[in-house]
């Protein structure tokens, strides 16, 4: 028969073990800024990249193993412009700036201290294309650098928005799981779909 003294000793020991296990989760709360990564499938662009920030908020109950996540991406897409484009006398490369945001929840995977599962809400996806943030540069014919600002028509801005939205749906869909999270000196290293990524904590 187990003595009462042994039980009184066992309960605190178990409590310490549980707290120790919980504390092994890396502290991911806060905003983490990534480096530019390629975005595929933007049909309106020849090439595109996105700089993504991840903001992890703790849960309302104060636990550090789950909470809400907000993801924002700054997108830079470029496309050669032909001479037949109205109001353009020569061939240039056009660069379009856009933002995409999406939100959802995160939780550490059961029995794993450095993997998190994301559940993003597709209905929260919003994409904004700045019609006045278009840059034309690099005359394709002469290779001279003549950057100038222009604006998109409503129809063209709408085309870019649809194209970027479709691509970002696929881009964010990849963010279902972040694995092998390691944090050191304000840098978070991790893997997403077996690719290595690094993020720097904002403000550090």
């Amino acid at each position: 028969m187990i003595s009462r003294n042994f039980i009184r000793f066992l309960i605190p020991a178990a409590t310490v073990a549980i707290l120790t296990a919980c504390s092994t989760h890396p502290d991911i709360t806060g905003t983490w800024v990534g480096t530019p990564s390629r975005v595929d499938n933007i049909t309106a662009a020849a090439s595109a990249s996105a700089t993504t920030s991840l903001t992890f908020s703790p849960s309302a109950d104060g636990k550090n193993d789950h909470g809400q996540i907000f993801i924002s991406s700054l997108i830079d897409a470029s496309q050669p412009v032909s001479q037949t484009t109205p109001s353009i006398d020569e061939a240039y490369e056009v660069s379009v700036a856009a933002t995409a945001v999406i939100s959802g929840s995160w939780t550490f995977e059961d029995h794993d201290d450095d993997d998190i599962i994301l559940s993003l809400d597709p209905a929260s996806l919003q994409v904004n294309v700045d019609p006045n943030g278009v840059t034309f540069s690099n005359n394709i014919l002469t290779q001279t650098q003549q950057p100038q600002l222009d604006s998109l028509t409503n129809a063209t801005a709408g085309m870019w928005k649809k194209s970027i939205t479709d691509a970002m749906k696929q881009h964010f869909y990849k963010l279902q799981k972040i694995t092998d999270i390691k944090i050191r000196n304000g840098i978070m290293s991790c893997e997403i779909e077996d690719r290595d990524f690094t993020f720097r904590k904002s403000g550090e």
Side-chain angles (χ1 to χ4, degrees), residues 85-180:
T85 302
S87 77
I88 299 178
D89 296 328
E90 297 176 311
Y92 284 87
E93 182 179 75
V94 59
S95 179
V96 176
T99 58
V101 299
I102 194 169
S103 59
S105 60
W106 65 271
T107 183
F108 275 100
E109 190 172 27
D110 289 341
H111 312 298
D112 202 319
D113 293 329
D114 56 7
D115 292 357
I116 60 174
I117 305 297
L118 304 183
S119 179
L120 302 179
D121 179 9
S124 69
L125 174 63
Q126 296 182 32
V127 173
N128 178 62
V129 176
D130 183 4
N132 297 314
V134 183
T135 302
F136 293 88
S137 63
N138 187 24
N139 185 315
I140 295 175
L141 299 179
T142 65
Q143 296 301 310
T144 57
Q145 299 291 324
Q146 298 177 9
Q148 62 181 26
L149 293 178
D150 207 331
S151 60
L152 295 174
T153 65
N154 289 336
T156 305
M159 177 199 69
W160 276 99
K161 181 175 180 178
K162 182 182 185 306
S163 179
I164 292 174
T165 299
D166 292 342
M168 292 307 293
K169 285 180 181 177
Q170 300 177 48
H171 186 74
F172 286 141
Y173 180 77
K174 299 176 182 179
L175 295 174
Q176 297 187 46
K177 186 174 182 179
I178 303 177
T179 62
D180 295 331

Side-chain angles (χ1 to χ4, degrees), residues 30 64-65 129:
N64 70 341
D65 60 351
V129 176

Side-chain angles (χ1 to χ4, degrees), residues 33-83:
V33 182
T35 56
S37 61
R38 179 182 175 85
V39 178
D40 297 315
N41 303 320
I42 298 181
T43 55
S47 63
S49 64
T51 301
T52 297
S53 297
L54 310 175
T55 300
F56 297 93
S57 299
S59 63
D61 57 15
K63 295 182 179 180
N64 70 341
D65 60 351
H66 67 285
Q68 300 299 307
I69 184 169
F70 178 81
I71 303 175
S72 63
S73 291
L74 301 177
I75 302 153
D76 181 31
S78 61
Q79 179 69 280
V81 179
S82 68
Q83 288 179 285

